[in-house]
C-alpha cells in the first residue's frame, strides 16, 4: 500500500507539470511537462529509469473579459475556437533516493478557427511540431529514511526555445487571396525564450489510505519580446505599435496545485484544486509586448491504476473561474486614449489528461 501511495504521488506530480503547460485556450500556458515526484522513503535502492507519456486535449470557445463571460460571441457565431493537443514524453533518471534528472520533450498539434483573422469569414490555422524542451534536476530535501510520513522535493530546471515560436500559416483576405503570417500566440509551439524553472512539491501521508499533496511551479522568462509580429503577415497598425502590442511577449507562467488522495490496493483517487496563470508582469525583465494574461481556477479529480510496472491515469480539471486580466498593452492603450481598454480571451470548460508511467 505504501508503494502504491508513493507511486500515485509520482503520477500526480507528473501531471502537475504536464498540465501546467498547456494553454486553456487563448491564455498561452505552454507545455514543458515531466514527472517531478520520485520514489522516496527508501523505496529506490539503485539507479533506474521512468518514462511518462501524457496526452492532453482541450477545446476553448468561451470568451471572457475579466471574469465576465462574453456570451454574445457564441450567439453571433464569431467566437474563436481553439483545439489543443499535446503529447509530453518525459524521461527521468533516478540517481538515488534523493537525486534525479529529467528531460521532457513535448509534441504539439493545435488548430484555431476564427473569423476576425480572416476578413470575417471562418477559417482555420494550424501548428504542429516540437515544443520547448526542458531539463531539470530534483532533490528530496529531507533524508527519505527519516521522512516516514512526508517530504518536500525541490526542482530547478532550464527551458530551451526549441519550439517554433514563429510558426506560420495562411490567412484569408477580403479580396479572396491569402497571406502567409505567424499564427496566433495561443497556438505557437514555443515562446522564444530561455527560461528557468522552480518547483516545490511537498506531500504528507496520514496513514496507508489517506494523504495530501501540494505542487508549486514557476517559469521565469527573462526575455521580454521574441520579435514575432502580431499582424498575421500584414503591417502593424500605428496604434498597436504605440501601445507595444505589435510584437509577441515572452511571458512567465506558474501553477499551484493541492489536494487529497485515497489509495485502495492498486487504485488511487484524487481530488484537488488547480490555479494556472500567465501573470501580467514578469518576475525578471520587462513585460511589454502582446500577451493575454489571466488565470484558470479548476477543481481537479483524478484516478490512477497500477498494473505491475505500468501505471495508467486520467485527470480532468474542470474550470469554475476564468479571468482574462488587463495586459500591459491594455494599460498603455488606456493611458494613450483615456478610454479603459481590456482585451478578451477564449477559455475551455475542462481539459482531458490521460497517460501512463513505465518504470524500468
Amino acid at each position: 500500500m505504501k508503494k502504491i501511495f508513493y507511486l500515485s504521488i509520482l503520477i500526480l506530480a507528473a501531471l502537475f507539470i504536464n498540465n501546467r503547460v498547456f494553454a486553456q485556450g487563448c491564455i498561452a500556458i505552454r507545455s514543458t511537462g515531466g514527472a517531478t515526484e520520485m520514489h522516496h522513503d527508501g523505496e529506490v535502492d539503485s539507479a533506474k529509469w521512468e518514462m511518462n507519456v501524457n496526452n492532453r486535449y482541450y477545446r476553448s470557445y468561451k470568451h471572457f473579459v475579466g471574469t465576465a463571460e462574453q456570451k454574445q460571441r457564441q450567439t453571433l457565431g464569431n467566437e474563436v475556437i481553439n483545439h489543443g493537443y499535446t503529447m509530453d514524453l518525459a524521461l527521468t533518471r533516478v540517481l538515488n533516493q534523493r537525486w534525479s534528472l529529467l528531460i521532457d520533450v513535448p509534441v504539439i498539434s493545435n488548430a484555431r478557427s476564427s473569423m476576425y483573422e480572416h476578413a470575417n469569414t471562418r477559417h482555420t490555422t494550424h501548428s504542429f511540431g516540437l515544443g520547448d524542451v526542458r531539463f531539470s534536476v530534483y532533490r528530496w530535501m529531507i533524508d527519505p529514511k527519516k521522512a516516514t510520513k512526508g517530504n518536500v522535493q525541490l526542482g530547478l530546471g532550464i527551458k530551451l526555445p526549441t519550439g517554433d515560436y514563429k510558426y506560420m500559416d495562411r490567412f484569408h483576405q477580403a479580396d479572396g487571396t491569402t497571406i502567409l503570417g505567424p499564427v496566433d500566440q495561443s497556438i505557437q509551439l514555443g515562446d522564444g525564450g530561455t527560461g528557468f524553472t522552480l518547483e516545490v512539491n511537498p506531500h504528507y501521508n496520514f496513514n496507508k489510505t489517506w494523504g495530501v499533496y501540494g505542487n508549486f511551479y514557476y517559469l521565469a522568462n527573462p526575455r521580454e519580446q521574441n520579435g514575432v509580429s502580431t499582424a498575421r503577415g500584414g503591417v502593424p497598425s500605428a496604434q498597436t505599435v504605440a501601445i507595444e502590442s505589435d510584437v509577441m511577449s515572452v511571458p512567465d507562467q506558474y501553477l499551484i496545485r493541492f489536494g487529497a488522495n485515497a489509495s485502495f490496493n492498486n487504485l488511487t483517487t484524487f481530488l484537488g484544486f488547480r490555479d494556472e496563470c500567465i501573470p501580467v508582469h514578469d518576475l525578471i525583465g520587462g513585460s511589454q509586448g502582446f500577451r493575454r494574461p489571466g488565470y484558470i481556477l479548476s477543481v481537479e479529480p483524478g484516478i490512477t491504476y497500477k498494473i505491475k510496472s505500468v501505471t495508467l491515469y486520467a485527470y480532468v480539471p474542470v474550470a469554475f473561474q476564468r479571468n482574462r486580466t488587463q495586459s500591459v498593452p491594455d494599460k498603455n492603450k488606456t493611458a494613450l486614449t483615456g478610454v479603459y481598454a481590456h482585451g478578451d480571451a477564449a477559455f475551455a470548460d475542462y481539459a482531458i489528461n490521460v497517460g501512463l508511467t513505465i518504470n524500468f
Side-chain angles (χ1 to χ4, degrees):
M1 184 69 71
K2 190 175 183 179
K3 291 185 177 181
I4 295 173
F5 170 75
Y6 287 137
L7 186 57
S8 68
I9 292 295
L10 184 154
I11 302 303
L12 181 69
L15 282 172
F16 152 58
I17 301 301
N18 285 336
N19 297 350
R20 164 192 57 78
V21 283
F22 301 99
Q24 282 231 18
C26 293
I27 306 298
I29 303 172
R30 305 189 185 285
S31 175
T32 53
T36 60
E37 293 282 346
M38 307 305 164
H39 295 277
H40 43 89
D41 284 346
E43 193 172 342
V44 176
D45 296 320
S46 61
K48 65 181 299 181
W49 294 92
E50 295 170 346
M51 170 64 78
N52 181 63
V53 181
N54 182 71
N55 302 275
R56 184 178 187 184
Y57 170 79
Y58 71 85
R59 175 180 178 268
S60 69
Y61 64 100
K62 289 185 177 179
H63 287 254
F64 287 80
V65 174
T67 58
E69 184 179 353
Q70 307 299 295
K71 296 182 179 180
Q72 72 277 8
R73 296 293 296 272
Q74 295 179 63
T75 301
L76 296 173
N78 61 6
E79 75 276 22
V80 175
I81 304 171
N82 278 9
H83 294 268
Y85 168 75
T86 302
M87 178 175 66
D88 260 292
L89 304 173
L91 182 64
T92 299
R93 175 66 169 178
V94 180
L95 302 177
N96 53 45
Q97 293 177 353
R98 300 189 74 164
W99 290 92
S100 55
L101 304 173
L102 173 142
I103 178 174
D104 176 80
V105 180
V107 179
I108 302 171
S109 178
N110 294 321
R112 177 180 173 87
S113 171
S114 67
M115 296 183 66
Y116 80 95
E117 296 174 305
H118 303 277
N120 290 322
T121 58
R122 185 168 291 278
H123 293 280
T124 302
T125 51
H126 301 84
S127 61
F128 174 80
L130 179 71
D132 288 345
V133 174
R134 183 173 65 93
F135 297 89
S136 292
V137 57
Y138 299 94
R139 184 180 189 271
W140 290 105
M141 303 311 294
I142 306 173
D143 185 349
K145 294 180 180 179
K146 299 178 181 179
T148 58
K149 287 191 174 183
N151 209 330
V152 178
Q153 186 188 58
L154 180 67
L156 297 174
I158 183 170
K159 179 196 69 67
L160 303 178
T162 54
D164 189 350
Y165 58 93
K166 46 189 175 183
Y167 197 98
M168 304 181 79
D169 203 347
R170 293 203 164 270
F171 295 88
H172 292 255
Q173 306 298 297
D175 61 3
T177 63
T178 61
I179 186 172
L180 189 66
V183 298
D184 186 80
Q185 186 181 57
S186 64
I187 66 169
Q188 287 289 345
L189 302 178
D191 59 27
T194 297
F196 303 94
T197 61
L198 169 66
E199 301 164 57
V200 182
N201 305 310
H203 74 88
Y204 188 81
N205 184 17
F206 295 108
N207 52 47
K208 293 182 179 180
T209 301
W210 296 98
V212 293
Y213 63 88
N215 302 129
F216 173 78
Y217 172 95
Y218 197 97
L219 167 64
N221 270 316
R223 187 178 186 183
E224 184 174 22
Q225 301 176 9
N226 61 20
V228 178
S229 172
T230 60
R232 306 174 191 88
V235 178
S237 68
Q239 184 178 78
T240 60
V241 173
I243 66 175
E244 297 194 55
S245 68
D246 58 314
V247 177
M248 296 182 191
S249 71
V250 185
D252 289 1
Q253 61 187 59
Y254 70 79
L255 177 109
I256 300 171
R257 295 174 78 234
F258 58 85
N261 55 279
S263 299
F264 310 95
N265 296 321
N266 292 344
L267 179 69
T268 303
T269 60
F270 299 88
L271 183 62
F273 166 84
R274 178 189 186 91
D275 174 11
E276 51 190 323
C277 176
I278 293 289
V280 177
H281 299 282
D282 291 345
L283 187 65
I284 303 172
S287 305
Q288 296 289 350
F290 178 82
R291 74 174 71 181
R292 297 185 184 94
Y295 61 81
I296 308 106
L297 304 181
S298 304
V299 175
E300 187 176 34
I303 188 171
T304 71
Y305 188 79
K306 181 182 178 183
I307 306 172
K308 295 183 178 180
S309 62
V310 177
T311 300
L312 308 175
Y313 61 78
Y315 286 79
V316 182
V318 179
F320 64 85
Q321 184 175 108
R322 287 150 286 190
N323 188 344
R324 200 295 204 178
T325 50
Q326 190 185 31
S327 68
V328 172
D330 288 339
K331 296 177 181 180
N332 293 342
K333 185 176 180 180
T334 300
L336 181 67
T337 63
V339 179
Y340 181 78
H342 194 152
D344 74 331
F347 293 82
D349 287 328
Y350 59 87
I352 299 172
N353 305 272
V354 294
L356 57 86
T357 294
I358 305 172
N359 300 317
F360 57 93

